[in-house]
Amino acid sequence: MAEPLLRAIDLVKAFGGLMATDHLSLDVGEGEVHALIGPNGAGKTTIVGQLVGELRPDSGRIEFAGEDLGALSPPARLLRGLARTFQISQLLLDDTAADNVALAVQARAGHSFRFWRDARADPRLRDEARRHLVDVGLGAVADRRAADLSHGQHKQLELAVALASRPRLLLLDEPMAGLGPTETQAMIGLLAGLKGRVTMLLIEHDMEAVFALADLVTVLASGRLIASGPPARIRDDPLVRDAYLGDGDA
Amino acid sequence: MAETRALRALGLIVLVALLALPAVAHFAKDPAWISLVTRMLIYAIAAVSLDLILGYGGLACFGHAAFYGLGGYTVAILFHHARSSEVLWGLIPGSTQFLVTVPAAMLVGGVVAAAIGALSLRTAGVQFLMITLAFAQMLFFLFSSIATYGGNDGMTVRRRNEMPGLDLRDDTVFYYLVLALLLLALWAGRRLVRSRFGMVIGGIRQNERRMAAIGIDTYRYKLAAFVIAGMGGALAGALMVNHARFVSPDMMHWTKSGEFMVMVILGGAASLIGPVLGAVTLVGLEDLLGQIPKWGEHRMFAIGAILVLVVLFGKGGLWGWIARRLSRGGDG
Amino acid sequence: MLNLAVEQALNGLQLGVTLFLLAAGLTLIFGIMGVINIAHGSLYMIGAFFCAATLAATKSFLLALLAGIGGAALAGMLMEMLVMRRLYARDHLDQVLATFGLSLCVNEAFSIVFGQRPLYVDIPPWLAGSVEVVAGVPYPTYRLAIVVVGLLVALGLYLLISHTRIGMLVRAGSTHRDMVRALGVDVRLLYTLVFGLGALLAGLAGLMAGPVYTVQVGMGEQILILTFVVVVIGGLGSIRGAFLAAMIVGLVDTALRAFVPPWLKTFMEASAADALGGGLSSLGIYLLMALVLLVKPRGLLPAHG
Amino acid sequence: MILARTLFSAALAVGPLSLAHAQAPVKIGFVSTLSGPAGYLGQDIRDAFLLAMEREGGNRLGGVPVQLVVEDDGLKPGAAKQIVDRFLKTERIRVVTGVVFSHLAVSIVPDVVDTGALFLSPNAGPSNFAGKECHKNYFVYSWQNDALHESAGALANNLGYKNAFVLAANYQAGKDAVAGFKRLFKGKIVEEVYTKLDQTDFAAEMARIRAAKPDVVYQFHPGGTGIAFLKQYAQAGLNAQIPMVGAEPMLDVATLRAVGDTALGLNVGVKWNTDFDNPESRDFVAAFQKKYNRVPSYYAGQGWDTAQALAAALRVVGSDNPDKLAAELRKANFKSIRGPFRFGPNQHPVQDWYQVQPVKNADGSLSLKTVGKILAGHGDAFSKDCKL
């Protein structure tokens, strides 16, 4: 196998006395779907923060496509192809769904220091935005205000916005959180459709989704890696059952 | 669609009224209206420029008067040096040409805004509010103590700037010039907020974290918006000094920054018409209430009460209220 | 020289505690309710006016003291119930505008009732005169009393916040606002009480300042900006931060005024040194705030996280 | 919102459009600071002006029917400009007066005199219009700002002080005040301190004064800050050790009331005081006290003198023809409560300056007592540059 797309090497992050990330190493290979699971408080969100650059690890390194991300800011990481969705949707609620996506298209296209021409009338932005919306099944509501969409649609829109950045790696922070059974199935279908096109690091609680999508599963508890391997092995790992599946959280 | 038609009609009526104002004022033998409305329109330019960062960008700037005052001082200082034919710092000659002084004022406003913004934008929220206030207060104290330019008493600019082909000393001509500049500013503002840049600024207000996540370095965009707003504030200050023929540190006092904020929020933030309405209303109220015999000197009581009521019950300011009424009328 | 330094340190301390009394209320209100209150200066004025008017009418310092702090606290609670309550969910701009309007109203109402001429307040006879703190340095007893009261209040606030149930709620409220709501506490009552406490402290600062400064409409706005500087330097919502910042601001401001011009004179021509020194001391506090915020954007001791 | 609308239409009803009616009486525009902390200064001037009109049987000055149009500038130059604009253009007023503060005068005087109207300043006397930029239509009835502080310098000489510690607020008027004091003071300046314009606590300065041990302290702080300074000076125990001199604004009747007994021992240079022994002064003080139930301040005195000067000119001219009025005003042919009054070449007063001290009355209240003359026939340093 070639060099992994994303490597996290011996990350450590502590808040006060609490070890949120405890000497964690993690590889995500090009094209694979790698799931990261663990009970609440296992340190998943902290990992996401460090990977996208919102948090600085106390020690350790993150490499993306062979480059040390070091102190790069979140925007700089995105421009290298590392996009993310948010667990709690972070959308521009006053704008339409299409506006939300078009902004990401515009941002990917380079700087936005264009002061004069009407951005909403620019077909280069609008056409691509609409394509991404159709891809995630939001084609019909493209011109609705984000605030007026349902929770499930917000999750889909998050995905469309992330895809508009044309990422090499998509960091999905609990895309199923708060979804009903049918919506979850739809989302799993969407992500399955993306598999192979985009590398994904999937942080998720929903075991059904994880086992349906993941090539590899890594289990965290209290900031430490306790198991990593193909889904079938993880499912039967007594340590994992004990630490995670047994606590009734799933 | 009845709503937009009603709005268009309203806009047209207001525009015609503004164009006809000098003639009406002269006919009514009440030419003071011209300078009152000129003042409103100049404040409107300042308020619209503040709204770009305050309303559209969500950046609570409490130091806009700094740029307004700098614009004013630029015009006054250039005038002062043109009159005394002393060369400023050995290299800048004075000028009384409107087409020189006003762009110069905007340049100064922009450069200082870039400096203040570069530092202030490292903070956010209330801290940003306070740090912009601090910078404005520093400039206020600085200009209060420069004796050459009148210190706290300020200085008079005995004549308005000149412009080829236009007699700016004529109040009516000056009024039309200010009106034209306001319309220009509104048009430019409209293009700006709808441009790619404007979309980014609006996005930053709604969710800065999201903007960073789609690869936008928000700091640079906020700084650019801050500079544009500073230039707008300086334009207003330059016009005001031409109008009033007087400059003083009062133009930079924190209460003036507060007044601009009041205009924006009273009229309706994150709209272009709102700040204009706010400026007209605030200046008009102060002027008209002040003329009430005896109780006029207590007008701040009424103005304060109106502010409280507008914030508590009038969502979106005056413009929000008007827009709601129009759309309700359109539905029924 | 040492005597001068001792005296100036006391002066800095006294300015510091006055600022602290104002800043404590402001930062408490911000920390718990998330409201910026521009009308806080009006509460300071209310305390001073009620005290001065009661003193003139009754000649009793005790009654004047009660009227000052009671009046301010009542006014504060009234303010909370009528206006502030509706502002908690709003953004900071709306809060600034509404409370600015409120301060205009209150000031104008006082100028209608009391007129604009400054009022006279005397020092209680048992606090008049001076005490010799260090040999050769007579220091006004009244100012010492302000320092003592201010420090006692700071201690009281510390005990209140770290050792009582209300204090626990206040602490929780400033870090986890939603948690307090979830605890089933009567949040409305808590808010009204906290606002009343903040107002009381402002009123106390105002009435103590009366005999030293000027009792006049608009006196609150003059000191309000400086108070905001203190609150922001200290870290919004943090009482410990407000105390630290108030002391720093008080001491730095005093030191700038006391020692910079003489120091400049050691290598500059006298009148130029005086002019520059005056300018520096005017700018000093704002410069200090800008520097602190550039290094620590959330202030010295931020309350949240 | 309904309130806003009602107020707005109520305001419109009294707005300028409806004020333009019959022109019978001579209109006098009175723009002054009536609101805010400094509002009482403008009110005193206005009340004295109204008293002068009432004493002629109501709404008359010099026998000519007049209408005083009073407006409040709120201490804002912009508002003052707007009011004056309305005075000049809409109401066609030819005589403007009332202004208290120098920076407001600086902002509106050019507008008034450039349109040929008259400006009668009852208080502000900035240096801007005293020298090269003096104007034939501009008259000052109080003092030239510097001359005011020169009186304090001369007073310090007369009292035999050899060195002085001077303090002023750090703004132009403060620097002018120090310059004025130094112009006539012959002794040495120990230290020159500029305080913040909005400073309320002067403890640091008190300590510096104590350490410097000067013969005398001279200080100028406007409005409320001046009151705070005086109180803190006394509380620091300094008034028992180091005497203080100052100019008129340091101690008017309102200030005196606010600082109480701590004022005892001060020496102040003034051009008029309520105890002046001339019929005009006695008459004015009695009438003012009767009507308004308070002691007139020197601001009120200046308002009264301005009204008397205008009355004298109107009596001769009979209309508001500005050129004729200016010619009459220049003669200063009226009875001032100060006694003899004449103009210098720049139409600023040339007058006597007196030393006053606070004294305690039998009932425990305080008043100012005149104890001697400081300067006689004193003009100002700028008049030589004025070519009228």
Side-chain angles (χ1 to χ4, degrees), chain D residues 122 140-143 248 270-273 276-285 298 300-312 331-343 349-352 354:
Chain D
V140 175
Y141 288 92
S142 49
W143 49 57
E248 224 169 276
V270 304
K271 47 132 188 40
W272 173 73
N273 188 26
F276 272 27
D277 192 22
N278 66 59
E280 287 73 27
S281 179
R282 280 197 303 265
D283 176 45
F284 163 65
V285 173
Y298 68 84
Q302 290 156 199
W304 174 264
D305 267 357
T306 308
Q308 296 309 319
L310 182 59
K331 297 177 191 161
N333 206 354
F334 72 101
K335 292 263 191 227
S336 166
I337 54 176
R338 292 165 240 188
F341 180 100
R342 68 185 170 88
F343 277 130
V350 174
Q351 57 194 343
D352 299 347
Y354 303 86

Side-chain angles (χ1 to χ4, degrees), chain D residues 131 134-138 330 344-347 383 385-388:
Chain D
C134 62
H135 197 281
K136 65 179 174 56
N137 286 3
Y138 173 73
R330 202 163 300 134
N346 55 356
Q347 298 178 162
S383 60
D385 298 326
C386 170
K387 309 272 178 285
L388 273 182

Side-chain angles (χ1 to χ4, degrees), chain C residues 222-297:
Chain C
Q222 225 169 18
I223 202 158
L224 180 72
I225 293 280
L226 205 54
T227 308
F228 267 110
V229 170
V230 166
V231 168
V232 168
I233 290 181
L236 283 162
S238 158
I239 296 209
R240 283 187 316 139
F243 185 77
L244 179 66
M247 292 304 142
I248 292 176
V249 167
L251 288 169
V252 168
D253 189 62
T254 307
L256 280 177
R257 280 151 46 203
F259 299 117
V260 169
W263 172 70
L264 288 173
K265 267 183 213 164
T266 56
F267 55 88
M268 277 175 76
E269 185 256 323
S271 73
D274 286 325
L276 184 65
L280 278 180
S281 64
S282 294
L283 300 179
I285 290 309
Y286 295 104
L287 212 56
L288 177 72
M289 172 165 88
L291 288 176
V292 167
L293 287 186
L294 291 176
V295 179
K296 301 199 74 172

Side-chain angles (χ1 to χ4, degrees), chain B residues 242-314:
Chain B
N242 265 295
H243 172 61
R245 299 189 296 146
F246 173 69
V247 71
S248 80
D250 274 10
M251 285 179 81
M252 299 184 173
H253 198 246
W254 68 271
T255 49
K256 187 57 87 184
S257 297
E259 271 179 51
F260 290 144
M261 287 171 79
V262 167
M263 287 172 190
V264 171
I265 304 167
L266 176 69
S271 70
L272 287 165
I273 301 302
V276 179
L277 266 181
V280 169
T281 310
L282 191 69
V283 176
L285 264 183
E286 273 204 46
D287 190 71
L288 296 177
L289 291 180
Q291 292 181 54
I292 300 173
K294 256 197 146 43
W295 285 96
E297 62 201 59
H298 297 303
R299 63 191 173 281
M300 288 329 258
F301 187 82
I303 289 174
I306 291 169
L307 283 184
V308 175
L309 293 173
V310 166
V311 174
L312 290 188
F313 304 111

